[in-house]
């Protein structure tokens, strides 16, 4: 019997539930919508009907000629495509849409919905430099400069612990508040500051990350007591805190002192303001007023 006729007949016999499994529209399944240039990815086209043995055609959006045709296996067509094949001559960093359809004898399905895939590019690291002021209150600012190895670039992004906090100009002032934007508020927040640049407008080409700098944001707004904190840094990070080993921030009468120390002097701890806070809380709850400026000394 003619397959198409069989297909048409079987649709009449099926219950609505059975029929809903086969939507008449194939579907594209991809595990990720972004791959790096040079990598390959798997793109699966599902069959729209309960008849195998046909072929799937894969189209770039905007083209009526398939650029890949493969035979169905197990009601699926699995295309393995390199970034170059995905791009089809477009520049690295482009986003391309794809559709597929299924062909069996005289039957050709409609196209699937389009799925877009971006082939991202990379470029060499920029250099991050930073003004000497590296212990900040939320209102203070630090001047940061991202210097890419190529000129000009489309934009720079600055990251606080891998989260983009600002984008645009490659040289700017960032406040402690901006740096701590996505963080849980805490008295003393160490932040790992890095930058990247995007060399071209409209293309997903992202540079490798820059060198990193540690910055400390000291927020006393939630504190009603005085305390001392110690922060330990790696040797190569210590330089930026030179001359600021003891910073005192006073507001509403409280004093928070921060001591920045060389990691070599201590154990494996990075900072211990939380511990100090916890201890002090226990002590002060037994006291009657909060006006006392209890000095809790910790550190080496
Ligand atoms: C940031 O990303 C780098 C590289 O991908 C990773 O090594 C590091 O652990 C990340 N840091 C945080 C705080 O997520
Ligand atoms: C950062 O702020 C300082 C002081 O206000 C100013 O001199 C400097 O030009 C600013 N830098 C940028 C990149 O805006
Ligand atoms: C800071 O970020 C850099 C680059 O992503 C990473 O190599 C480094 O391990 C990070 N350091 C800390 C303390 O998270
Ligand atoms: C800290 O320790 C490292 C490795 O043990 C060593 O190379 C470095 O010179 C030390 N720095 C200081 C300031 O003692």
């Amino acid at each position: 019997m003619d397959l198409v006729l069989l297909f048409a007949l079987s649709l009449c016999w099926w219950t609505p539930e059975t029929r809903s499994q086969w939507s008449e529209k194939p579907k594209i399944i991809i595990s990720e919508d972004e791959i790096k240039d040079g990598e390959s990815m798997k793109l699966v086209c599902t069959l729209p009907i309960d008849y195998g043995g046909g072929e799937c055609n894969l189209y770039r959006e905007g083209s009526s000629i398939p650029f890949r045709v493969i035979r169905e296996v197990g009601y699926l067509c699995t295309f393995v495509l390199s970034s170059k094949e995905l791009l089809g001559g477009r520049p690295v960093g482009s986003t391309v849409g794809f559709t597929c359809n299924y062909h069996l004898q005289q039957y050709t399905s409609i196209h699937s919905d389009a799925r877009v895939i971006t082939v991202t590019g990379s470029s060499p690291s920029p250099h991050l430099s930073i003004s000497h002021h590296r212990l900040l209150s939320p209102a203070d600012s630090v001047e940061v400069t991202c210097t890419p190895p190529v000129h000009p670039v489309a934009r720079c992004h600055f990251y606080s612990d891998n989260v983009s906090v600002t984008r645009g100009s490659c040289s700017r002032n960032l406040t402690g508040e901006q740096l701590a934007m996505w963080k849980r508020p805490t008295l003393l927040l160490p932040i790992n500051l890095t930058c990247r640049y995007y060399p071209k407008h409209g293309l997903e080409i992202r540079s490798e990350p820059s060198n990193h700098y540690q910055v400390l944001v000291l927020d006393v707004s939630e504190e009603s007591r005085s305390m001392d904190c110690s922060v330990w840094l790696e040797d190569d990070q210590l330089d930026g805190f030179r001359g600021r080993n003891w910073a005192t921030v006073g507001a509403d009468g409280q004093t928070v002192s921060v001591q920045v120390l060389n990691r070599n002097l201590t154990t494996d701890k990075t900072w211990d303001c939380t511990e100090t806070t916890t201890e002090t809380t226990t002590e002060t709850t037994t006291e009657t007023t909060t006006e006392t400026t209890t000095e809790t000394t910790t550190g080496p």
Side-chain angles (χ1 to χ4, degrees):
M1 199 196 298
D2 186 294
L3 254 176
V4 173
L5 179 61
L6 177 66
F7 170 62
L9 282 174
S10 62
L11 280 182
C12 302
W13 298 328
W14 280 358
T15 64
E17 289 101 303
T18 326
R19 223 183 307 168
S20 64
Q21 277 188 294
W22 305 98
S23 65
E24 296 182 37
K25 194 179 197 177
K27 212 162 103 185
I28 288 184
I29 300 170
I30 47 177
S31 55
E32 294 193 59
D33 54 14
E34 205 181 280
I35 68 161
K36 291 191 183 119
D37 183 36
E39 291 180 347
S40 297
M41 84 180 298
K42 215 187 255 183
L43 185 154
V44 173
C45 184
T46 67
L47 263 54
I49 52 168
D50 192 10
Y51 290 98
E55 287 165 339
C56 294
N57 301 309
L58 186 63
Y59 303 82
R60 280 197 196 84
E61 218 174 9
S63 162
S64 55
I65 302 159
F67 73 100
R68 285 283 283 273
V69 179
I70 61 167
R71 189 153 283 278
E72 163 277 334
V73 177
Y75 296 103
L76 298 172
C77 296
T78 306
F79 295 91
V80 178
L81 301 152
S82 70
S83 57
K84 211 172 177 157
E85 289 171 302
L86 289 168
L87 286 167
R90 289 171 181 75
V92 171
S94 299
T95 297
V96 190
F98 298 91
T99 64
C100 68
N101 66 6
Y102 182 60
H103 177 76
L104 176 65
Q105 297 181 4
Q106 298 97 316
Y107 165 81
T108 301
S109 79
I110 57 171
H111 283 245
S112 68
D113 289 333
R115 293 297 306 261
V116 297
I117 299 170
T118 301
V119 177
T120 64
S122 82
S123 65
S125 296
H127 180 76
L128 174 66
S129 59
I130 173 169
S131 58
H132 238 51
H133 191 31
R134 287 175 47 192
L135 184 57
L136 314 167
S137 77
D140 288 338
S141 60
V142 62
E143 189 171 20
V144 292
T145 303
C146 194
T147 309
V150 292
H151 298 281
V153 298
R155 63 180 190 276
C156 287
H157 285 227
F158 291 91
Y159 301 84
S160 157
D161 286 346
N162 295 351
V163 177
S164 175
V165 288
T166 182
R167 54 192 277 180
S169 162
C170 293
S171 183
R172 59 209 303 148
N173 284 308
L174 289 175
T175 62
E177 195 174 5
Q178 279 177 296
L179 293 173
M181 189 156 56
W182 303 109
K183 299 287 192 168
R184 198 160 49 86
T186 162
L187 178 61
L188 183 61
L189 188 65
I191 281 167
N192 198 354
L193 190 64
T194 53
C195 72
R196 291 179 199 262
Y197 63 95
Y198 282 68
K200 297 248 161 57
H201 287 282
L203 293 179
E204 271 304 303
I205 302 176
R206 195 173 80 147
S207 78
E208 295 298 316
S210 66
N211 52 312
H212 73 277
Y213 276 110
Q214 189 152 38
V215 173
L216 300 170
V217 180
L218 183 61
D219 183 359
V220 293
S221 62
E222 301 294 314
E223 286 303 320
S224 56
R225 289 156 288 102
S226 295
M227 66 182 74
D228 292 352
C229 306
S230 304
V231 182
W232 289 274
L233 295 172
E234 300 295 348
D235 290 336
D236 65 342
Q237 298 284 307
L238 202 60
D239 201 37
F241 293 93
R242 188 174 287 157
R244 297 185 163 268
N245 273 5
W246 282 96
T248 307
V249 179
D252 303 335
Q254 82 277 27
T255 313
V256 177
S257 304
V258 179
Q259 185 178 22
V260 181
L261 301 165
N262 185 308
R263 186 185 274 280
N264 288 14
L265 296 173
T266 68
T267 57
D268 56 349
K269 282 193 270 180
T270 311
W271 61 291
D272 74 349
C273 261
T274 324
E275 285 167 40
T276 312
T277 310
T278 315
E279 283 166 23
T280 316
T281 306
T282 322
E283 281 165 24
T284 50
T285 44
T286 58
E287 286 167 13
T288 46
T289 62
T290 53
E291 300 217 1
T292 46
T293 49
T294 317
E295 288 285 341
T296 312
T297 311
T298 56

